[in-house]
Amino acid sequence: MAGKKRRVRVANELPKTRRLAIKKALDEHESGGRPDWDRSSDWKDIRFLRKRIKTGEMRTVHMPLLDVDMGDSWPIPIIVFHGKRPGPVVTIIGATHGDELTGPSACTNLLSSKFTEPGGALDPQSMAGTVRIVPVLNLPGYRSKTRYFPDGRDLNRAFPGLAKGSTTSRVASMVKKNLIDDSDVIIDLHSAATGRSNMPQIRGDLSHPESYLLAKAFGIEVVLDSKPPKGSLRRVANQMDIAAVTYEGGGANRLEQTAVKVAVHGCLNVLKALKVIPKNPSRPRFRLNAGGSTWLRAGEGGLLDMFVGPGSIVTKGDVVATISDPGAPGLSVDIVAPENGLMICTATNPFVTAGTPVGHFLPVTKHIELLKTQMDDRGILIVNGSQGDAIWREEEEMVEIKVEGDWSGGSVDAEWNQINAEDTEQEEADS
Ligand SMILES: [Zn+2]
């Protein structure tokens, strides 16, 4: 890295017992240096799901989620990059929950020709190891715009799964066998569940050393130290001593470009940190390793007016939202920040009942001033990787295509309804 940057680290928001557990695990862990990733070791073509992938090649392989001869086996595309040199197997997964679109969009951007063309960041000719990108894991859920599999179950609670179990359990078993078991590193890309939106954040068990290193490598400010839920992909991976983290950004059924951009940036950071692709990873100025949080809940029912968003930095006593009820005119109730801290998730659904969670609040007792030095003019923490242009969007060789013809009915929307048709003359007179 060029020059010497002053590093400010915020890593002391975790409870002491947890800090000691993480330190102990890291001390006992022998980091780096896997003999099989040595440049001089044997490295050759691989087979993935019976398809041969040569070194220096990128290939799309379809994996059926169900092992059947009849009915839909739900084949999903997996894009495999097999590098020229030895290195880890990295699996990047989107849409374990079918309605969470940050992952599919981030994967699609990573797979744009901007990245994969010769000389691009993901050119397999300049890569080490093997990278597998799964844009949409829960394809049936994605197609029907839901979190769940068609049997109503949550794939991320079904691991390790059973080959002869429920539909979702069979899928989990297939995913484990083909995508988890031989991974060295897994990044699982998620969004908040429907009705709320997350600021970009990493979740990982920081007492699992390889996952801790992976969480750091992603290169963003907010890291939640959390034991993976029972049945989750992260949990089975960690149990097999595979590094795994969950990235959370944005909300279900929405496409929030900041969350997508940070996801792309973070995945590239991990690949750089692992030396799978060239260049140095980008580091945040500080990192919040959080060991606990509070959910702010509505005390009354009604319509919610949020004054803050995901990533808002708040001061103790700030009004973060107000609730009013059309049935009780003149009355309203404020929700205030209990401490100084960061809103890592906020509600997007205005309908609330007493008890509805409206915000996920991370108390930041120390260093709140440091957070404020990295805040935009709306009071939102600027996350590493969220700034600058989205490079996959660069408009090179712009082609302008002329489409000739007339607007059916007289104007662009005339056929949509009668009102537009009547406005036609007026519109054309104006323009
Ligand atoms: Zn999810």
Side-chain angles (χ1 to χ4, degrees), residues 95-100 147 154 156-157 188-193 246-248:
T96 300
H97 294 132
D99 59 353
E100 298 179 1
R147 173 183 182 91
D154 185 335
N156 211 27
R157 298 291 179 274
D188 197 12
L189 302 168
H190 286 251
S191 311
T246 304
Y247 167 79
E248 286 276 355

